[in-house]
Amino acid sequence: MSAPPGGPRRRLDEDRRRAQIITAAVEVLDEVGYGAATLTRIADCAAVSKGLIWHYFTGKDDLMTAVAESTLTTLTDGIADGLDRTAPVPDVLRSALRGAADLSRTHRKELNALYRIVHNLHGPDGTPKMTLAFYETTYQAQENLFRRGQVEGSLRDFDTRVMAVTYQGAVDMMLGYLNEHPETEPRAYADALADLLLNGIERS
């Protein structure tokens, strides 16, 4: 029996189309940068009409927001999938930093696209659209991990929100540095950063 009109099949097709356009946007952002990433160029890369992009997105800002959200989810899920969540929290943190550092090689295009959106997407008043609220889900997950470490006794007492923001800031700076210095060994950087962070929060 075929799916009814407007049912699951149509939803699947729409999700695939949106994903196709978002993937093309990542490619274009990586190749030509934010300013030159026009909807026409993205449509050509996706092999769709420009009108189809307007069907799914209200304009470039809407598309760029969707690309940033989708890309951040892809990157964070990729790191999370490689973690042993049953391991002691300090080991989880070290593995997470290594996984993040590996993104500089495995997901370079996605990182470039996200970086360019975060630094170029602004509201009508000129303020950045990708504020700290963009990371809220990430902060909450990190806070939960820090709290578990405190309960288990592997981490000392500290403000988990402050540490989550500090941790994410360190990850962002690491990725920016690795992008600018591709000669740097990602995991060596990650291990050095892990040592610094854990020396400050691990219970002695």
Side-chain angles (χ1 to χ4, degrees):
M1 180 180 296
S2 61
R9 176 65 182 180
R10 181 178 178 182
R11 178 72 262 169
L12 180 61
D13 288 343
E14 289 181 348
D15 288 346
R16 285 175 176 169
R17 280 297 191 190
R18 284 177 61 89
Q20 179 182 357
I21 294 167
I22 287 173
T23 298
V26 169
E27 291 285 341
V28 173
L29 284 163
D30 177 58
E31 290 177 4
V32 302
Y34 188 89
T38 63
L39 294 185
T40 298
R41 194 186 293 266
I42 293 169
D44 289 343
C45 182
V48 301
S49 68
K50 185 177 177 180
L52 188 64
I53 294 182
W54 282 101
H55 174 73
Y56 291 110
F57 305 96
T58 60
K60 181 175 178 178
D61 283 5
D62 186 35
L63 173 57
M64 292 297 107
T65 300
V67 173
E69 292 172 347
S70 174
T71 301
L72 181 62
T73 298
T74 296
L75 296 176
T76 54
D77 286 353
I79 296 171
D81 289 345
L83 299 178
D84 176 6
R85 296 178 181 274
T86 65
V89 169
D91 293 343
V92 175
L93 290 171
R94 186 176 294 277
S95 295
L97 286 169
R98 287 180 175 178
D102 287 343
L103 295 176
S104 64
R105 292 180 175 174
T106 62
H107 291 76
R108 184 189 59 78
K109 291 182 179 181
E110 290 83 354
L111 287 172
N112 276 344
L114 183 58
Y115 179 86
R116 288 169 174 171
I117 293 171
V118 168
H119 288 83
N120 289 280
L121 182 59
H122 297 87
D125 61 353
T127 58
K129 280 195 172 183
M130 300 290 104
T131 63
L132 290 179
F134 180 60
Y135 284 115
E136 185 56 35
T137 301
T138 303
Y139 290 153
Q140 291 178 9
Q142 291 164 350
E143 281 194 87
N144 289 337
L145 183 63
F146 293 139
R147 290 193 194 100
R148 178 164 76 84
Q150 291 172 335
V151 170
E152 293 174 348
S154 60
L155 302 183
R156 65 177 181 79
D157 292 335
F158 53 81
D159 187 314
T160 57
R161 170 52 58 129
V162 171
M163 192 59 217
V165 174
T166 301
Y167 175 86
Q168 186 59 47
V171 171
D172 291 344
M173 290 300 295
M174 173 179 69
L175 291 174
Y177 184 86
L178 292 175
N179 183 60
E180 294 293 330
H181 299 274
E183 75 281 1
T184 303
E185 172 53 44
R187 290 208 168 185
Y189 190 115
D191 286 342
L193 178 57
D195 288 341
L196 288 171
L197 291 174
L198 290 173
N199 282 340
I201 65 174
E202 221 172 348
R203 189 178 294 279
S204 56

